[in-house]
Amino acid sequence: MHHFQYRHGRLYGEDVPVETIVQDVGTPVYIYSRATLTHHFQVFDGAFSHIPHLTCYSVKANSNVAILALLGSLGGGVDIVSGGELFRARRAGIPPAKIVYSGVGKTREEIDYALSEDILMFNIESRQELEAISQRAQALGCTARIALRVNPDVDPKSHPYITTGMEKNKFGIRVDEAIESYRHATRLPHIKVVGIDCHIGSQLTEIQPFVDALKRLRILMERLHALGIPIHYLDLGGGLGITYADEAPPHPVEYAEAILKEMNGLSCTLIFEPGRVIVGNAGILVTRVLYTKSTPTKHFVIVDAGMNDLIRPSLYGAYHHIQPVVPSEREQETVDVVGPICESGDFLARERTLPRLVPRDLLAVMSAGAYGFSMASNYNSRPRPAEILVDGKTYHVIRRRETWDDLVRLENIPLM
Ligand SMILES: *Cc1c(COP(=O)(O)O)cnc(C)c1O
C-alpha cells in the first residue's frame, strides 16, 4: 500500500502532482509520502500492540532527520549503526531510552558518545567489542546496558549481500559461544546484561527463517534463565521484505502472529528493527529522460539519475518497477534504463518493457524509499538529489539538492 497513484493520467504523491514538485525542485528527486510512512509504521507497530514491545526503526534504510522525527512522533525508537546515526536520531528528538546500537565496528569515539547519551542498549557483536565497551564505561564511570547479538546460523534465502545471520557472515556471536560470553559479561562491573539480539538479513519474503532464529534464541534464553541471567529485551532485528516485483512477503500482522506464537509465554519486551518495510514503498525516485539511443541489439534510455543516486540495481541486481509520470499510448519497447555515470554497471533497469520514451519524459522509479538516498554518493562529482516529503496537498523540501559548491566545500588546495 502506498500513496503514489495516477489521477487524470498523471502520477501523484498523495494530493500533489509529481510534475509540480519537479517544476519546483528539478530532477532527479526523491519523493516520500508522509501518509504511507505513517501507515506502514502504525501497521507494523500496531501488530504487536497487545504485548510489551518497542519498534526501533533502522536508521540506515533512510536517515533523513525529517523521517526520523516523523517516526519518533508516532512513538518509534531507532536502531543505529554509527555515531552519525546517533547524532541524527538525537537531532530528530528520538529519546535515548528508545535507541539501540548495532554494528560490528563501533569505535571508541562512537562508544563514548552512546554512553554519554545513555542509550537503551548496545547490541554487541564480538568479545573484543564487549571488552572495549566495558573499558569505556569504566573510564566514564557509567554502566552500559548490553545485549549480545547472536548469529543463529539460519538461511534467510535473500540476496547473499544482505544475508547477515549465517555462520559465514561477519555479524554476531556464534550460538555455542554465547553462553560463555554472557557469563563473562555478567562478571564485568560496568556492564549490565539486559537483552539478546539477532538480525538475520534483509528483504526476507518468508516467515520460517524468523521463526527458526527465534527458536534458537529461545533455547539460549531458557539456558540463561537457568543460570540466573535474566533477559529483559528480546531484539529480533529487522529484515521483513517488501514487494518490488512479484514477491509476496508476509504481512506484518502474519509476521507478528508467527512470532507471538513462537514466544509461547516467554515474558520479555520485544524489540524490532524494521527498516525497508517502513520506508521502502513510501518513496520514489523521479528522473528525466535525457536521450535515447539504439544499437542493433539494444535500445537505451539515458536518464538523469544514476547508480550514485540509487545503487540497488547495480549492487544487488535489484528490481525496481519503473513507470512514466504521464502514461502515454505510444507503442511498447524493450529498453535498458541507464544513468549518466561512466560505468557499464550504471543502470536502473535492464530489458524493461515501457511505452516508447522521448527526451524530457519523466519516469518514476518505484519503491525507492529504502536504501536509496541513504546509499547515494557523489561519484562522478554528481550533487546528490533533493528529498521531498509530501503531506496531503502540500510538500516540504526535507533536503535541498546539493550544489557544485557543496561538492568541494570540504576540500583544500595546499600551498605547494
Ligand atoms: C539493516 C539492519 C536492519 C534493517 O533491515 P531491514 O531489512 O531494512 O528491515 C535492522 N537491524 C540491523 C542490525 C541492521 O543492520
Side-chain angles (χ1 to χ4, degrees):
M1 204 290 291
H2 61 72
H3 294 78
F4 297 99
Q5 305 294 342
Y6 289 108
R7 287 187 201 168
H8 327 294
R10 311 192 111 64
L11 187 66
Y12 276 63
E14 301 189 20
D15 299 326
V16 182
V18 165
E19 290 163 293
T20 303
I21 296 171
V22 167
Q23 266 160 29
D24 291 354
V25 304
T27 53
V29 57
Y30 277 97
I31 303 176
Y32 311 118
S33 156
R34 175 180 176 168
T36 311
L37 289 164
T38 303
H39 177 73
H40 286 175
F41 181 85
Q42 288 177 338
V43 166
F44 189 97
D45 195 57
F48 297 95
S49 58
H50 45 291
I51 54 148
H53 75 285
L54 181 60
T55 302
C56 290
Y57 165 69
S58 175
V59 173
K60 75 180 193 289
N62 186 319
S63 325
N64 189 291
V65 288
I67 287 177
L68 303 184
L70 170 62
L71 298 174
S73 75
L74 301 172
V78 292
D79 168 49
I80 57 166
V81 293
S82 71
E85 288 191 351
L86 176 54
F87 183 80
R88 286 179 174 279
R90 295 296 294 130
R91 184 59 68 88
I94 306 293
K98 291 184 177 179
I99 299 178
V100 297
Y101 187 179
S102 308
V104 292
K106 303 175 187 79
T107 66
R108 177 176 151 164
E109 193 186 19
E110 290 175 318
I111 292 166
D112 285 3
Y113 179 27
L115 285 171
S116 72
E117 291 282 350
D118 198 22
I119 62 165
L120 177 60
M121 74 182 184
F122 290 86
N123 289 336
I124 289 187
E125 305 231 10
S126 65
R127 281 291 280 263
Q128 287 183 9
E129 184 193 333
L130 176 60
E131 296 309 323
I133 291 176
S134 160
Q135 278 172 20
R136 294 315 302 157
Q138 180 163 25
L140 298 177
C142 60
T143 301
R145 283 176 294 275
I146 65 121
L148 295 188
R149 176 170 175 177
V150 174
N151 183 335
D153 193 25
V154 297
D155 184 354
K157 304 189 179 72
S158 62
H159 190 282
Y161 287 8
I162 49 179
T163 293
T164 56
M166 293 174 74
E167 192 156 75
K168 64 185 178 192
N169 300 129
K170 69 179 173 183
F171 298 98
I173 293 170
R174 288 162 48 97
V175 170
D176 50 11
E177 288 170 12
I179 295 286
E180 186 41 42
S181 299
Y182 268 107
R183 277 184 201 269
H184 178 67
T186 56
R187 290 194 287 264
L188 298 170
H190 292 269
I191 293 287
K192 181 163 197 276
V193 172
V194 294
I196 190 164
D197 166 52
C198 74
H199 169 72
I200 57 176
S202 200
Q203 184 53 14
L204 271 72
T205 52
E206 290 171 32
I207 287 187
Q208 199 55 40
F210 290 113
V211 171
D212 292 344
L214 175 51
K215 280 193 164 86
R216 297 201 179 161
L217 262 57
R218 265 194 57 160
I219 294 170
L220 271 178
M221 287 172 75
E222 281 155 12
R223 287 176 61 196
L224 290 169
H225 186 78
L227 291 168
I229 305 175
I231 297 294
H232 304 293
Y233 298 105
L234 170 55
D235 182 341
L236 292 174
L240 197 57
I242 64 168
T243 301
Y244 286 101
D246 48 11
E247 307 93 331
H251 188 275
V253 169
E254 278 176 72
Y255 167 76
E257 278 167 3
I259 299 289
L260 296 180
K261 180 159 166 258
E262 196 57 44
M263 289 284 290
N264 196 17
L266 212 62
S267 89
C268 55
T269 297
L270 280 172
I271 295 179
F272 298 97
E273 304 170 349
R276 191 188 309 271
V277 73
I278 306 293
V279 291
N281 288 328
I284 63 173
L285 171 64
V286 178
T287 181
R288 201 184 273 288
V289 176
L290 295 172
Y291 308 106
T292 62
K293 72 175 185 183
S294 298
T295 68
T297 53
K298 283 231 181 248
H299 294 300
F300 290 104
V301 174
I302 300 155
V303 297
D304 68 0
M307 64 188 284
N308 72 296
D309 304 301
L310 178 66
I311 203 173
R312 300 190 67 259
S314 306
L315 186 61
Y316 310 125
Y319 176 96
H320 283 269
H321 192 62
I322 296 187
Q323 57 195 57
V325 168
V326 182
S328 72
E329 298 295 312
R330 300 177 206 143
E331 77 278 20
Q332 306 268 308
E333 228 173 35
T334 299
V335 298
D336 281 13
V337 181
V338 301
I341 299 273
C342 302
E343 299 277 349
S344 294
D346 176 28
F347 62 91
L348 297 176
R350 281 183 161 158
E351 301 288 317
R352 198 64 65 79
T353 303
L354 286 165
R356 190 172 52 80
L357 292 158
V358 299
R360 298 201 56 74
D361 280 348
L362 292 170
L363 291 174
V365 183
M366 307 305 287
S367 313
Y371 307 102
F373 189 94
S374 65
M375 292 179 103
S377 78
N378 292 119
Y379 186 40
N380 279 206
S381 287
R382 290 168 45 80
R384 282 177 294 177
E387 292 180 284
I388 303 295
L389 182 62
V390 174
D391 180 12
K393 291 186 168 53
T394 61
Y395 68 89
H396 308 280
V397 178
I398 56 171
R399 193 179 206 273
R400 69 159 171 80
R401 183 179 306 286
E402 288 178 350
T403 63
W404 288 331
D405 267 326
D406 290 330
L407 293 178
V408 294
R409 180 143 294 150
L410 306 176
E411 298 174 19
N412 175 45
I413 301 174
L415 293 172
M416 287 182 290

